[in-house]
Amino acid sequence: MRFEVYFVYLLVVCALDSLGDNDAHTEYDLHKRLFQQYNSNSIPRSMTSSDPFHVGIELYLMSIDEINELRQTIAITAFLEIEWTDSLLIWEPLEYFNVTSINVKVKDIWTPDIVLRRTLDKQSDFMVE
């Protein structure tokens, strides 16, 4: 009887161990894999692709702060939304315990250069911090 209980216990432990060993990686492993050779200064497109890289930009007007008729200027407050797909930062969620999103510092990823032209002041860059 004791041998049978021990044998059943051993089977259960082996079964649970094999269930947990499905080659799933942690979020730490995901970060390490994604950024091991990532270069935030290069446009993230496939080496074999010659297709244009699409960046979507939407500007949401929040308020009109000032209208100066004499200078023919307007000052606004707006929210800028920029969207693109970074093909180098894609993974299979099942390989990483169903992780579908991660937190990354903006300085660590490629961001498009956006310049505001035709302004009253000198030409200015949108800085992402």
Side-chain angles (χ1 to χ4, degrees), residues 9-60:
Y9 173 76
L10 188 59
L11 283 176
V12 169
V13 168
C14 288
L16 289 175
D17 188 42
S18 67
L19 284 176
D21 189 24
N22 60 356
D23 290 335
H25 303 284
T26 64
E27 188 173 337
Y28 173 81
D29 296 328
L30 176 59
H31 273 273
K32 188 175 176 183
R33 181 182 72 78
L34 291 176
F35 292 101
Q36 189 170 20
Q37 295 182 338
Y38 188 86
N39 184 349
S40 62
N41 295 316
S42 299
I43 296 176
R45 75 170 94 207
S46 170
M47 296 300 244
T48 59
S49 175
S50 61
D51 296 335
F53 191 80
H54 296 282
V55 176
I57 298 177
E58 294 185 18
L59 181 77
Y60 299 97

Side-chain angles (χ1 to χ4, degrees), residues 19-116:
L19 284 176
D21 189 24
N22 60 356
D23 290 335
H25 303 284
T26 64
E27 188 173 337
Y28 173 81
D29 296 328
L30 176 59
H31 273 273
K32 188 175 176 183
R33 181 182 72 78
L34 291 176
F35 292 101
Q36 189 170 20
Q37 295 182 338
Y38 188 86
N39 184 349
S40 62
N41 295 316
S42 299
I43 296 176
R45 75 170 94 207
S46 170
M47 296 300 244
T48 59
S49 175
S50 61
D51 296 335
F53 191 80
H54 296 282
V55 176
I57 298 177
E58 294 185 18
L59 181 77
Y60 299 97
L61 180 63
M62 306 300 281
S63 66
I64 298 174
D65 300 330
E66 179 185 345
I67 298 175
N68 188 325
E69 292 181 43
L70 288 175
R71 294 176 64 188
Q72 297 182 353
T73 61
I74 184 172
I76 64 167
T77 300
F79 177 76
L80 184 67
E81 184 175 274
I82 309 167
E83 184 177 308
W84 68 93
T85 299
D86 191 326
S87 62
L88 302 176
L89 298 178
I90 296 175
W91 66 92
E92 182 60 46
L94 291 176
E95 293 178 14
Y96 296 93
F97 293 112
N98 288 326
V99 172
T100 57
S101 65
I102 59 173
N103 293 319
V104 178
K105 293 179 182 174
V106 173
K107 70 176 185 64
D108 292 339
I109 62 171
W110 176 85
T111 53
D113 295 326
I114 299 174
V115 178
L116 185 61

